[in-house]
Structures are given as structure tokens and as C-alpha cells.
């Protein structure tokens, strides 16, 4: 097992790093040995480092890099299930499954999220309004617990509900058995609808949810006045074979990474992350205006490859790529639309948004005790860490979201005040009680767990 004694670790968004001992187990036995031998600062598992917050960091302690454990053990091509290691990425898993006519049930926006990370964060994607989050498609998993033993955890048990969305604090997920979704082709039929303000955008997103498998909306967070919250709804469905032209119909399930995604402005036109500077805000405002005015009012039926289209749908091109940013993701239930309006208006007034926001509608929540998505609305923002007044603004938004019965996403969090946590996650005490029972010495911990007292 490779060991690096002091490694500065950060995540997606590249915030301030923290140093930890990084261990790279190559077998389940080495993973168990690492857990049993971890020091007084404990250990936490890590995939490919795509979490924007502190959930996969452990300052002064051990971090287990699980990316070497990435095998697929068995695929049931008739029943549509797969048994795989937790270190495999969802993108790699999709590449292996597509030729067999199956696809991952919750495709992520980021390309390198691992199965273990998807379990720990209870991943949600642009199809949550229909498919729910990752836990709903997880049949069972193997969990390495604090005493070094391995347990098979089935659906419907407390340990299952505490681990899905549990941010790695109940143990290390070694393998997972997933129920897959069938597909007839490896292509999507995509489309978009432009909206002039937030109310129109929300109405168009509701309509898209009724008609499409995948649907999200990009929100211009620099537009003000009557245009506040303007944006574009993006939607997609898996293409049926009859929609493919002859050149593609010969191999309908082939992976086609070179088919285009949602059109983007040329990279040379996009300035580097400088949105906390006045000139940067003006430039970004002009770019947003150009994007909005040049987008067609409505478009449908464009064939695009999965690998290019899904990250664009889920904000992979818009969120999480800049350095020195703060990721903020909140959710409120139906009836909490005024909170969304206020959040968008306050961020627009502050003029600090680095990129477009991402708006979704969530369907039925999962049984995960710390799972983030619940029926209602979700909004993701990416803001420059150095923006003036950002901390005060986000504290204000936290309080408003909590007062409305909403929550912020812990897998992205780096700054939530712990006193707001119980109102956001009402099953928090159940989680703490179970965690104390299965891990009485708090072997599994992280920067996030220490800050929030999880």
C-alpha cells in the first residue's frame, strides 16, 4: 500500500487545502489494515477528489484514496444489475454498460465521481424529478466498519439509511450492487427554452419535468431588474433507434465522445475567474447577456452524445471548474418559491456570481438520513471566495433557507454554522446515535464532521 505522509488535499473548486496522510489501498485487506492502524485524528475515504467541500478531507489525519479499487465484478445483462468496486467512476461504469443496453441510473454532471462518492453524497442528477437520487437504485453494498470487519448492508436497514448520504462517516464502502436503467441508444435528444425572468424560468422547468427524462435550468445571476433570474431550460431524453440517422443507426449503443454537447462560447472569449473585480463583473455581465440573447427561444430534437450532453445539463460546464470559489447548494420544498426568488435577487444585487446558477426540481427524496435532495427545488451557485461581503450574504441565505424548512448540501459545504443543522436535517440525532454505536471511537471523521459536530 502506497503511503504519502503529508499531502495537501483540496476538492473541486480548489479551496484552501488541508494536509493529511494519504494511503492508497490496493485490496480490501489493505483498506482494513489502514482503518485499524489509523491515528488519533481518524480516517475518511476519498474517491477522485470531486467533492467541493470538506467531506473527503481530514486535516492531520488519514485519508484513504480508494481509486485503485475500481473493478467490475459481475453484470447481470438480463436483469440490469451490476456489482462493482466503490472506486470506479460512474463515467467508466457507463462506458462498460452502454454496449450492453444499460446505463447508470443517476448520471452526474462531473465526469469523475466514483460509486463510493455517489453513495456517500447520495448523488442526484438532472433526472431526479423522475428517478430520485442514487440510494433509490442501490440494492446493497459492502461496508468496512471501524473495527476492520466487512458487512453486507441491504436496503431497509438503519445502517443503509445512515450511510447513503452519510458522507463516509459510518465506514468505507467497498462494493455496491446497482439497479441500472435500460437504454436503446447511446444518444440523447436535447433541447432548450429561453425564459425572460425567474418566474417564467420556473414555469418552463415545471413543464419540462412533465415531458422529459432530464431537465435543468441555467440562471443568469448577474441580470437585475425585470430580467432578474432569466435563463434557459435544458432538457433531454434518451433517443429511440428510429431517431438516429443511418450513419449512427448501424451502432446505436456505441459510445460517441466526439458528438457535440450543448454549444458553448469559445474559451478564448471567457475571461479567467475574476468575478470579484469590478471589471470582471462587467465582462461576465456582457457575456451572460450575449449568451442569453443569442440563444434560440426554443429548440428541440438535437442529437448529442451522452458524455458531452449530460455534464452540460447538470452544470458540469458551468460549476466547479474555477479556482478559489465557494460552492453553495440549497433546497426548499414546494411552496418555498419566494425563498428562491429572494436568493437569486440577493446574489444579483451583490453582483458576485462567477457563473450561471443551476436550478432543478427534485422528486421524491430518499431514505438517507443526511440525504440532501427532497421534493421541491434545488439551486446551485458558484461564487468567488474573495467577493466582498460573501460570508454575511451566505449566512443570511442559510438562515432564510432553514426558516423555510430547507437545507444546504453538506457534500458541498465549507462554512455552514452548526446551530442551523438540526432544523435542516431533522434525523440528525438518529444519525449521531447510530454512528456512535457502530464507531464509538469516532475512527471515521473529516474536517466537515468536526466543524458541524456530525
Amino acid at each position: 500500500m502506497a503511503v504519502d505522509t503529508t499531502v495537501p488535499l483540496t476538492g473541486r473548486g480548489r479551496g484552501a487545502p488541508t494536509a493529511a496522510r494519504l494511503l492508497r489501498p490496493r485490496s480490501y485487506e489493505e483498506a482494513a489494515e489502514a482503518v485499524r492502524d489509523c491515528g488519533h485524528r481518524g480516517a475518511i475515504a476519498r474517491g477522485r477528489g470531486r467533492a467541493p467541500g470538506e467531506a473527503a478531507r481530514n486535516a492531520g489525519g488519514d485519508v484513504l484514496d480508494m481509486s485503485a479499487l475500481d473493478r467490475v465484478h459481475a453484470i447481470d445483462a438480463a436483469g440490469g444489475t451490476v456489482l462493482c468496486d466503490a472506486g470506479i467512476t460512474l463515467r467508466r461504469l457507463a462506458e462498460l454498460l452502454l454496449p450492453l443496453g444499460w446505463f447508470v441510473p443517476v448520471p452526474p454532471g462531473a465526469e469523475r465521481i466514483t460509486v463510493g462518492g455517489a453513495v456517500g453524497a447520495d448523488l442526484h442528477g438532472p433526472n431526479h424529478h423522475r428517478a430520485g437520487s442514487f440510494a433509490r437504485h442501490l440494492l446493497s453494498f459492502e461496508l468496512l466498519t471501524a473495527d476492520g470487519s466487512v458487512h453486507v448492508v441491504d436496503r431497509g436497514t438503519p445502517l443503509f439509511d445512515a450511510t447513503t448520504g452519510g458522507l463516509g462517516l459510518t465506514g468505507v464502502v467497498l462494493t455496491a450492487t446497482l439497479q441500472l436503467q435500460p437504454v436503446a441508444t447511446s444518444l440523447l435528444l436535447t433541447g432548450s427554452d429561453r425564459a425572460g425572468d425567474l418566474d417564467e424560468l420556473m414555469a418552463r422547468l415545471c413543464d419540462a419535468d412533465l415531458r422529459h427524462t432530464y431537465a435543468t435550468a441555467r440562471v443568469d445571476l448577474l441580470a437585475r431588474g425585470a430580467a432578474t433570474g432569466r435563463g434557459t431550460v435544458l432538457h433531454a431524453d434518451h433517443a429511440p433507434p428510429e431517431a438516429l440517422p443511418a450513419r449512427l443507426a448501424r451502432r446505436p449503443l456505441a459510445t460517441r465522445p466526439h458528438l457535440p454537447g450543448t454549444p458553448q462560447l469559445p474559451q478564448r472569449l471567457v475571461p479567467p475567474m475574476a468575478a470579484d473585480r469590478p471589471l470582471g463583473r462587467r465582462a461576465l455581465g456582457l457575456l451572460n447577456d450575449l449568451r442569453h440573447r443569442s440563444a434560440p427561444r426554443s429548440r428541440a430534437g438535437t442529437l448529442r452524445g451522452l458524455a458531452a450532453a449530460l455534464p452540460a445539463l447538470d452544470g458540469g460546464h458551468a460549476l466547479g471548474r474555477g479556482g478559489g470559489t465557494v460552492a453553495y447548494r440549497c433546497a426548499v420544498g414546494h411552496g418555498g418559491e419566494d425563498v428562491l426568488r429572494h436568493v437569486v435577487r440577493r446574489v444579483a444585487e451583490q453582483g458576485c456570481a462567477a457563473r450561471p446558477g443551476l436550478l432543478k426540481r427534485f422528486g421524491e427524496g430518499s431514505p438517507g438520513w443526511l440525504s440532501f435532495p427532497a421534493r421541491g427545488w434545488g439551486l446551485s451557485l458558484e461564487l468567488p471566495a474573495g467577493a466582498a461581503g460573501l460570508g454575511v450574504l451566505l449566512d443570511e441565505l442559510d438562515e432564510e433557507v432553514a426558516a423555510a424548512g430547507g437545507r444546504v448540501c453538506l457534500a458541498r459545504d465549507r462554512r455552514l454554522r452548526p446551530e442551523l443543522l438540526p432544523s435542516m436535517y431533522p434525523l440528525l440525532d438518529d444519525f449521531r446515535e447510530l454512528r456512535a454505536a457502530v464507531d464509538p471511537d469516532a475512527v471515521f471523521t473529516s474536517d466537515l464532521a468536526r466543524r458541524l459536530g456530525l
Side-chain angles (χ1 to χ4, degrees), residues 84-148:
C84 60
D85 280 346
I88 192 171
T89 64
L90 290 178
R91 178 171 184 172
R92 178 59 181 153
L93 194 56
E95 290 172 347
L96 296 172
L97 295 170
L98 270 176
L100 303 175
W102 297 99
F103 192 54
V104 293
V106 178
E111 298 173 348
R112 299 177 66 194
I113 291 178
T114 63
V115 167
V119 174
D122 196 13
L123 179 75
H124 63 275
N127 59 344
H128 191 281
H129 58 286
R130 292 192 177 184
S133 57
F134 202 79
R136 290 185 60 183
H137 310 274
L138 184 62
L139 302 178
S140 65
F141 55 84
E142 289 181 296
L143 187 71
L144 171 64
T145 53
D147 60 359

Side-chain angles (χ1 to χ4, degrees), residues 176-430:
T177 302
L178 301 174
Q179 181 67 57
L180 306 169
Q181 64 163 321
V183 291
T185 74
S186 60
L187 295 159
L188 291 178
L189 282 171
T190 68
S192 63
D193 292 292
R194 192 175 69 182
D197 59 34
L198 184 60
D199 284 344
E200 183 185 357
L201 189 70
M202 293 164 74
R204 289 186 180 276
L205 184 56
C206 289
D207 181 62
D209 275 3
L210 294 175
R211 296 185 290 118
H212 300 289
T213 302
Y214 304 101
T216 59
R218 286 185 182 177
V219 188
D220 181 353
L221 295 170
L222 293 179
R224 302 185 188 184
T228 299
R230 70 181 179 183
T232 304
V233 172
L234 307 174
H235 53 78
D237 298 281
H238 290 280
E242 57 271 21
L244 273 54
R247 67 183 177 84
L248 299 176
R250 287 190 290 272
R251 298 175 61 215
L253 290 168
T255 55
R256 297 179 174 90
H258 300 301
L259 281 182
T262 300
Q264 302 290 307
L265 284 175
Q267 193 60 37
R268 59 188 171 79
L269 294 179
V270 181
M273 283 290 297
D276 53 333
R277 302 173 188 169
L279 182 59
R281 287 199 296 270
R282 285 198 292 271
L284 287 170
L286 290 172
L287 282 168
N288 286 353
D289 193 58
L290 176 62
R291 282 192 182 102
H292 186 76
R293 294 178 186 278
S294 61
R297 291 188 181 277
S298 184
R299 175 175 51 195
T302 304
L303 275 173
R304 302 197 188 283
L306 285 164
L310 283 171
L313 271 168
D314 207 32
H317 292 317
L319 299 174
R321 290 194 170 186
T325 60
V326 173
Y328 186 78
R329 176 174 283 173
C330 64
V332 294
H334 293 307
E337 289 79 5
D338 281 346
V339 177
L340 282 181
R341 294 185 185 100
H342 184 252
V343 170
V344 170
R345 186 169 64 252
R346 288 287 293 114
V347 173
E349 289 170 351
Q350 196 89 354
C352 62
R355 301 168 191 278
L358 185 71
L359 182 65
K360 294 181 183 178
R361 283 197 348 135
F362 292 141
E364 194 66 38
S366 84
W369 293 347
L370 295 188
S371 180
F372 164 69
R375 187 177 289 279
W377 299 87
L379 179 65
S380 296
L381 312 175
E382 187 170 286
L383 307 168
L390 182 62
V392 174
L393 171 65
L394 294 182
D395 284 348
E396 174 193 321
L397 300 185
D398 284 346
E399 291 170 4
E400 185 166 356
V401 167
R407 56 187 59 168
V408 299
C409 180
L410 300 182
R412 286 177 168 259
D413 183 59
R414 287 190 297 181
R415 37 147 307 279
L416 178 68
R417 303 202 311 272
E419 59 267 28
L420 294 177
L421 196 59
S423 61
M424 293 184 173
Y425 290 90
L427 295 176
L428 177 63
D429 286 342
D430 292 342

